């Protein structure tokens, strides 16, 4: 699968975002090691704190469908500057996805590419328990 397939899937998922409060729509597409794509979008709530980001929706969907191993995640927002995963999402992505490649894009172009280990140095994880 090409990078642009993954970015296009994230962009399509962004169309389903429920971002009535922030108006900040985000889409994510997670690639499994067997080449499947699982998407997510951000879902906000009137209580604000129950909002869940696109990346976590994608990961929780994937886990709940039985996927266990992941290669990459694309994240799309309509911003000039890159929209990287928030701290909570970094932790969840690390926990279940390991050192993913993280591809950031806006509606026109790629805006960044990182290893998750660079975005989350010195993570807390089960090796420390
Ligand atoms: N958001 C995401 O879904 N992913 C990110 O990487 C950054 C932030 C959402 C959460 C909230 O619904 C809105 O964007 C503004 O923070």
């Amino acid at each position: 699968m090409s990078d642009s397939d993954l970015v296009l899937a994230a962009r399509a998922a962004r169309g389903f975002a429920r971002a009535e409060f922030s108006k900040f729509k985000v889409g994510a597409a997670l690639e499994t090691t067997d080449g499947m794509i699982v998407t997510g979008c951000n879902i906000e709530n009137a209580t604000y704190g129950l909002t869940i980001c696109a990346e976590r929706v994608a990961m929780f969907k994937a886990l709940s469908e039985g996927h266990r191993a992941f290669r990459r995640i694309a994240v799309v927002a309509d911003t000039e500057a890159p929209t990287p995963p928030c701290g909570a999402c970094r932790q969840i992505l690390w926990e279940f996805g390991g050192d993913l490649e993280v591809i950031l894009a806006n509606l026109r172009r790629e805006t960044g590419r990182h290893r998750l280990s660079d975005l989350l140095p010195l993570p807390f994880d089960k090796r420390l328990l």
Side-chain angles (χ1 to χ4, degrees), residues 18-19 22 24-27 41-44 51-55 75 83-86 89:
R18 300 294 304 267
S22 73
F24 193 88
K25 295 182 176 185
V26 184
C41 61
N42 55 329
I43 301 176
E44 299 184 347
T51 290
I52 178 165
C53 297
E55 296 91 324
V75 183
T83 297
C86 76
C89 287

Side-chain angles (χ1 to χ4, degrees), residues 44-60:
E44 299 184 347
N45 185 274
T47 63
Y48 296 177
L50 291 179
T51 290
I52 178 165
C53 297
E55 296 91 324
R56 269 175 290 155
V57 170
M59 178 57 85
F60 291 150

Side-chain angles (χ1 to χ4, degrees), residues 84-100:
C86 76
C89 287
R90 293 178 198 202
Q91 181 69 27
I92 292 294
L93 292 174
W94 179 264
E95 178 91 23
F96 297 107
D99 196 11
L100 294 172

Side-chain angles (χ1 to χ4, degrees), residues 1-16 26-31 37-41 72-77 103-110 113:
M1 173 194 323
S2 72
D3 292 352
S4 65
D5 289 334
L6 200 62
V7 169
L8 277 176
R11 182 180 163 159
R14 180 180 172 274
F16 299 121
V26 184
L30 189 59
E31 182 189 23
I37 297 181
V38 183
T39 61
C41 61
R72 299 187 289 177
I73 187 166
V75 183
V76 171
I103 300 167
L104 308 177
N106 64 23
L107 303 186
R108 289 180 297 103
R109 62 180 174 85
E110 187 176 312
R113 188 176 284 254

